[in-house]
Each structure stands twice: as structure tokens, then as C-alpha cells.
Amino acid sequence: MITINEHYNKLQASYLFSDIAKRVTRYQDENPDQTIIKLGIGDVTKPLPSACIAAFHKAVEEMASAEGFRGYGPEQGYEFLREAIAEHDFRARGAEIANDEIFVSDGAKCDTGNFQELFSPATVIAIPDPVYPVYLDTNVMAGRTGTFSDGRYKGVVYLESTRENNFVPALPTQPVDLIYLCFPNNPTGSTISKEELKTWVDYARQNKALILFDAAYEAFIKDESLPKTIYEIEGAKEVAVEFRSFSKSGGFTGTRCAYTVVPKDCMAYKGDGTRQELHGLWNRRHCTKFDGVSYPVQRAAEALYSREGKQQSEQLVDYYMKNAELIRTAMSELGFSCVGGDNSPYIWIEGKMDSWKFFDLLLDEAGVVCTPGAGFGKCGEGYIRLSAFNSFENVSLAMERIKDSLA
Ligand code: MLT
């Protein structure tokens, strides 16, 4: 008899963004004349930068000749891309990351979801609330939590991010092994200072814990005093793995390319207490379950590090940040308290009502899709998230419609 992994039955309904997509489709079917403006899932709308397109075309042409053709590439990514990443994103900022500590992949969602496989089922996880649902759901699937009741999974240490702590959680008061942090934060758009991040690195070093640091939105940081990578913090290479993505900064949500940094100094422990390098373990997992990102996509990602590519990526980021500023200003003027939008493409808005009710109100009255905060955790109740990823024209129209519908 084939039996299922019962842990899947602990999961709550469907994945948040699929649930929202279903509701939006239903609404559109019932209101075929309404044009819906999507500020829900953080999906980019502008075309790929021309530097990427040129590199993409060139690589496809190479694949058309016997000399230029490539079959399986290295699972960890081609050296040209690993070198560009390590040099520009880390060494240029004073963080000594070697090329072979970079693992190129098809998405930070997959990497942040998969990394927990390296750890024992008994690992105690610390997860922010609210949180990008992938971190929590993948641990539920792996059986690292108890059942769900009253908005929480048993056995998980929740790190509450609230207005009171400026949406930067306090250190856990009980021992934890695996800590998920994301800054600039999805969904709250909050940021963390170097001093605050250092307290987490110090905690992990003192407690033999590991930090999984999701920096998928680092390109949106405008404040130069904020850390762009956790490896700017002394000692972080021993206790932190970092996830990055080209999705939002390079327009790659549909093209798929990201990377994970696993420093060789980064350790976990065997049952007998002896240390083991995570680099070798992740390499083993990656080679077993992944066959690399396609050559043309890696050439397109490499082009983001050329002078032209960097300028074009900055222009993309600036474009979306102008939207973010507009959303934050408009919602603040309507009397809502907002976080994010200054160093992040997400604006976290205290809605003065139940967050699914606010979702329905914006959809029904303004034809605007947001993400209800409750979908990100118990502490998200009462909030909604608006994303800056859409055209400036659509964002302006969405704000006009919201003003009219709330007037
Ligand atoms: C989001 O809207 O939270 C993200 O776009 C989801 C993702 O990157 O998977």
C-alpha cells in the first residue's frame, strides 16, 4: 500500500498566491468588463534589459553551431557567472566570497525551500511572522512542525515582527537551531541595520545555530548605511547562507535565475557534536537533484554585471521604486499607516480592518489586487501588502481608484 506523507495534510489550504489567483479569476469571470490592476504577487512587468536580450540571443546562436553547442553544464553554474557574482556582489563590497561558494539555480523560492533538507527532523526552526510562506510550508512538509491550531504550527518558534519592534524581530528567548531572516523584508518591506543584523550573527555563533538569509530584494536598498549582504557582518561566513535572485532586479521572474552562497566556513553539527561543512552537503544535494540553469539564461544573467547591464538594472529598480513611493504617499494620505516602499518594493499597510475583508473591498470596489497580510501569518492580520511591480500608469490608476472607493 502506498501511503502519503501525512505532513502535507497539516498544510493550510492552497499556497497563498494560488489562492489569490483563483479568487481574482472568479471575480474577473463575474465582472468581465472590469480591468483588474494587480499589485498582489511581486511579479515584474517591464521587459528584460537590452543587455540581457543581446547576451541571450548571442548564446542561442552559439548553441546553433557544432563548435558553440553545449550539453549539460556544471550543476553549480558556469564559471563566468559565478566569477561575476562573487566579484561584483561580494568582493567589491569587501565580503571575501570565493567563486566556488556560489551555487547558481533557477530561483530563490526553490533554494530557500530546499535548503532545510540538509537538517535533521528534530531541528528547531525560528520563523518570522509575518513571513514569505515558502520557509514555513517546506518545513511543515518535512515534518519539522506539529499540527496547525489558532494560526500557528506547534513546535515552531515564531519571531514576531510588529509595529512595536519596527518589524525587526527580537532574538528568540528559547534555543533554536535554524533561523530564517529576510531583509529587505517580504512582506513588510522593513530593513535591518548592520548593528541589528550583528546581534543575529552573534546569537547564531554563540548557539551553534544557522541563519538562512534571504536577500532577494537587496537591489532595492537605497540607504547606503544598510547591509546589502549578511557577509558584511563579521563572523557571518561561519553561520549564514545567503539567497539572492535576478527575478526582481533583472526582470527574471519568467526567465529564472538565482543563486545561493554557501561559504566553506559555514558549519552544522553531526549527532555526536562534530562539525561538518555545509558547502559539501549542499553541493551533493544540488548535483543530485538539479542539472543547472540553461547556458543562454546564465549568459543573460552575466550581462547584468556589464556596465550597460548594471545601468539598465538600476533603471528597472528605480522605475519600480517610483511606483513604491507613489503607493506609500497615496496610502499615507488616505490615513493608513505604511511601512516599506523606501528600500523595498513592498508597502505594508495597516488596513484598519480584517485583511481578507480589505482584500475583497479593494477588488470589489477598485478592481485592485493586493495580498492580504493574514496570508503571511498571524501577525499579518489587519494588514495588506501592495507591490510596486506594475507600470507607473497602472499604479497611478490603482491609487486613484482606491481613493475614490474609500472616499
Ligand atoms: C511575492 O510576491 O511574495 C513573491 O513574488 C513571491 C516569490 O518571489 O515567489
Side-chain angles (χ1 to χ4, degrees):
M1 181 175 71
I2 175 72
T3 55
I4 56 151
N5 173 355
E6 290 280 3
H7 300 302
Y8 273 65
N9 287 334
K10 295 180 200 162
L11 290 165
Q12 293 313 288
S14 57
Y15 181 62
L16 173 63
F17 294 108
S18 327
D19 193 12
I20 293 170
K22 270 189 223 136
R23 286 179 188 235
V24 173
T25 305
R26 196 168 56 227
Y27 174 83
Q28 185 74 90
D29 290 345
E30 288 163 7
N31 301 276
D33 296 333
Q34 173 69 295
T35 52
I36 295 177
I37 302 175
K38 294 184 179 164
L39 304 180
I41 191 166
D43 192 5
V44 293
T45 56
K46 284 190 83 65
L48 288 173
S50 61
C52 296
I53 293 294
F56 225 141
H57 278 297
K58 186 165 172 278
V60 171
E61 285 305 323
E62 281 178 53
M63 295 289 270
S65 71
E67 304 73 47
F69 176 76
R70 292 168 192 244
Y72 290 125
E75 292 91 343
Q76 303 86 346
Y78 284 101
E79 183 60 18
F80 61 78
L81 182 55
R82 299 173 94 190
E83 158 77 20
I85 292 169
E87 186 55 42
H88 293 267
D89 289 347
F90 298 98
R91 296 195 288 261
R93 297 191 65 83
E96 276 314 307
I97 295 295
N99 299 357
D100 64 355
E101 293 176 320
I102 307 291
F103 291 85
V104 175
S105 77
D106 60 350
K109 177 179 184 177
C110 318
D111 287 352
T112 54
N114 290 330
F115 211 87
Q116 49 75 28
E117 280 184 26
L118 302 191
F119 309 108
S120 91
T123 301
V124 178
I125 54 166
I127 300 240
D129 179 3
V131 73
Y132 177 48
V134 172
Y135 315 153
L136 185 56
D137 285 2
T138 51
N139 275 287
V140 175
M141 291 169 176
R144 228 169 260 119
T145 74
T147 50
F148 188 79
S149 83
D150 193 24
R152 294 270 163 99
Y153 285 98
K154 294 201 179 81
V156 173
V157 175
Y158 286 90
L159 305 170
E160 298 198 344
S161 308
T162 60
R163 179 162 299 291
E164 287 65 45
N165 58 26
N166 218 10
F167 301 95
V168 177
L171 294 174
T173 50
Q174 61 196 98
V176 300
D177 308 311
L178 187 61
I179 302 159
Y180 288 78
L181 293 179
C182 171
F183 288 103
N185 188 261
N186 180 13
T188 68
S190 63
T191 52
I192 193 164
S193 68
K194 282 187 188 153
E195 296 70 33
E196 287 165 328
L197 191 52
K198 184 172 183 313
T199 64
W200 284 96
V201 169
D202 291 346
Y203 173 93
R205 292 174 84 189
Q206 282 151 18
N207 293 279
K208 297 185 174 168
L210 181 79
I211 299 171
L212 297 184
F213 190 72
D214 185 350
Y217 298 93
E218 64 71 38
F220 295 84
I221 294 177
K222 296 281 162 213
D223 179 345
E224 282 295 320
S225 71
L226 296 171
K228 286 243 177 195
T229 160
I230 196 167
Y231 304 118
E232 286 177 40
I233 310 298
E234 196 194 335
K237 275 167 66 174
E238 296 160 27
V239 290
V241 167
E242 182 166 304
F243 304 93
R244 293 277 193 103
S245 170
F246 298 108
S247 282
K248 314 292 156 85
S249 55
F252 272 54
T253 51
T255 308
R256 310 307 304 152
C257 196
Y259 67 87
T260 290
V261 187
V262 189
K264 295 199 191 96
D265 290 347
C266 198
M267 298 289 160
Y269 298 84
K270 295 188 211 165
D272 64 6
T274 52
R275 288 156 27 112
Q276 181 162 358
E277 264 188 28
L278 283 177
H279 185 274
L281 279 184
W282 183 244
N283 189 48
R284 186 70 173 82
R285 192 252 169 230
H286 203 67
C287 294
T288 304
K289 295 195 176 184
F290 187 64
D291 248 336
V293 173
S294 78
Y295 174 68
V297 168
Q298 291 195 56
R299 281 293 186 199
E302 181 198 24
L304 286 168
Y305 293 100
S306 65
R307 200 152 57 95
E308 203 191 4
K310 275 186 181 176
Q311 273 170 4
Q312 292 170 358
S313 163
E314 270 169 35
Q315 282 163 5
L316 271 184
V317 167
D318 289 347
Y319 181 87
Y320 294 123
M321 289 307 278
K322 202 168 141 214
N323 291 347
E325 194 184 337
L326 176 66
I327 295 172
R328 189 173 167 144
T329 307
M331 295 307 284
S332 303
E333 281 172 7
L334 285 169
F336 294 102
S337 176
C338 302
V339 195
D342 41 4
N343 292 288
S344 140
Y346 295 126
I347 300 92
W348 189 238
I349 299 157
E350 199 164 356
K352 301 178 194 164
M353 66 181 92
D354 170 278
S355 56
W356 278 105
K357 209 164 148 195
F358 202 11
F359 171 89
D360 286 335
L361 177 86
L362 292 187
L363 186 57
D364 294 344
E365 304 297 325
V368 173
V369 182
C370 68
T371 309
F376 296 108
K378 203 172 173 176
C379 292
E381 183 50 271
Y383 290 85
I384 56 155
R385 189 194 76 176
L386 286 178
S387 142
F389 296 114
N390 208 314
S391 68
F392 185 70
E393 293 69 27
N394 277 346
V395 170
S396 308
L397 182 58
M399 293 305 112
E400 286 307 318
R401 287 197 199 164
I402 292 176
K403 268 186 209 162
D404 292 345
S405 66
L406 297 179

